[in-house]
Amino acid sequence: NAGVTQTPKFRVLKTGQSMTLLCAQDMNHEYMYWYRQDPGMGLRLIHYSVGEGTTAKGEVPDGYNVSRLKKQNFLLGLESAAPSQTSVYFCASSRPPGATGEQFFGPGTRLTVL
Amino acid sequence: AQSVSQHNHHVILSEAASLELGCNYSYGGTVNLFWYVQYPGQHLQLLLKYFSGDPLVKGIKGFEAEFIKSKFSFNLRKPSVQWSDTAEYFCAVNEGLTGGGNKLTFGTGTQLKVEL
């Protein structure tokens, strides 16, 4: 049982390049989330998904797109990377409402945009 | 929308000292509260959580937190810290999202350094 995994672990991009971050979970969780973590700002929600084929915007969605084609995977895309997107990105998953609300986090992806 | 305040940004303690990290949240209704810990280079792990019942919650590694509804607080405590407790600690509150799902609103974190 791997929990929540993320690939890649590290990435350096040039301004304007694109990339996709992959999140996978093996806990059969309905809900998945992408957060970014910046110094002194805690974690902020980018996008989330309440089930396969559905996505929604969080607090800071601009510049990102997501897809949830399979229940176990949640992809975060950057179409044209900007230095402001330099951050650590965490994926999380949770069970539906009525359960604990606890979220399980992946190990993170450290992205640097030059 | 919820907000979470952690007033201690950096804390330095000697081993065996007692720890208390403050956390205040803004919402006045029913809340679910969490403390997560992030050890250097690692992902967030759940320390403890409060949903209902006894306001004194015990978590892993000897940590506990007390929910005080009248003060909108959920402070984290440990009677005697160890060097291995060096980490960043995040308080979070659960908030429902339109259409389902739960958003965690995090505080800005407290960096704890425990010196030998």
Side-chain angles (χ1 to χ4, degrees), chain A residues 12-18 80-83 112-114:
Chain A
V12 178
L13 290 179
K14 294 181 180 178
T15 297
Q17 287 185 317
S18 63
S80 179
T112 301
V113 183
L114 302 175

Side-chain angles (χ1 to χ4, degrees), chain A residues 31 33 35 37 40-45 48 50 59 90 94-97 99-108, chain B residues 32 34 36 38 41-46 49 51 88 90 94 97-109:
Chain A
Y31 296 164
Y33 313 81
Y35 292 88
Q37 183 184 28
M41 302 187 75
L43 281 79
R44 294 178 292 168
L45 184 66
Y48 65 99
V50 300
E59 296 175 77
F90 287 99
S94 71
R95 298 185 195 91
T100 65
E102 176 184 348
Q103 294 185 12
F104 297 82
F105 286 82
Chain B
N32 297 333
F34 305 82
Y36 280 85
Q38 187 176 27
Q42 295 188 28
H43 62 286
L44 279 80
Q45 303 171 40
L46 184 68
K49 58 192 177 189
F51 296 105
E88 191 160 16
F90 292 94
N94 197 17
L97 290 164
T98 303
N102 305 295
K103 167 188 164 183
L104 284 179
T105 298
F106 286 87
T108 53

Side-chain angles (χ1 to χ4, degrees), chain A residues 73-105:
Chain A
N73 295 338
F74 194 30
L75 278 63
L76 177 71
L78 287 72
E79 289 185 345
S80 179
S84 60
Q85 293 177 304
T86 293
S87 188
V88 181
Y89 292 86
F90 287 99
C91 178
S93 68
S94 71
R95 298 185 195 91
T100 65
E102 176 184 348
Q103 294 185 12
F104 297 82
F105 286 82

Side-chain angles (χ1 to χ4, degrees), chain B residues 43-64:
Chain B
H43 62 286
L44 279 80
Q45 303 171 40
L46 184 68
L47 264 184
L48 48 78
K49 58 192 177 189
Y50 172 80
F51 296 105
S52 63
D54 189 345
L56 186 61
V57 179
K58 294 193 185 300
I60 60 171
K61 304 187 180 187
F63 286 91
E64 64 179 31

Side-chain angles (χ1 to χ4, degrees), chain B residues 2-30:
Chain B
Q2 285 273 14
S3 65
V4 178
S5 298
Q6 291 181 244
H7 306 295
N8 315 104
H9 298 296
H10 292 90
V11 173
I12 301 174
L13 294 173
S14 299
E15 266 205 329
S18 64
L19 170 72
E20 180 159 4
L21 301 182
C23 172
N24 289 92
Y25 61 94
S26 60
Y27 183 59
T30 302

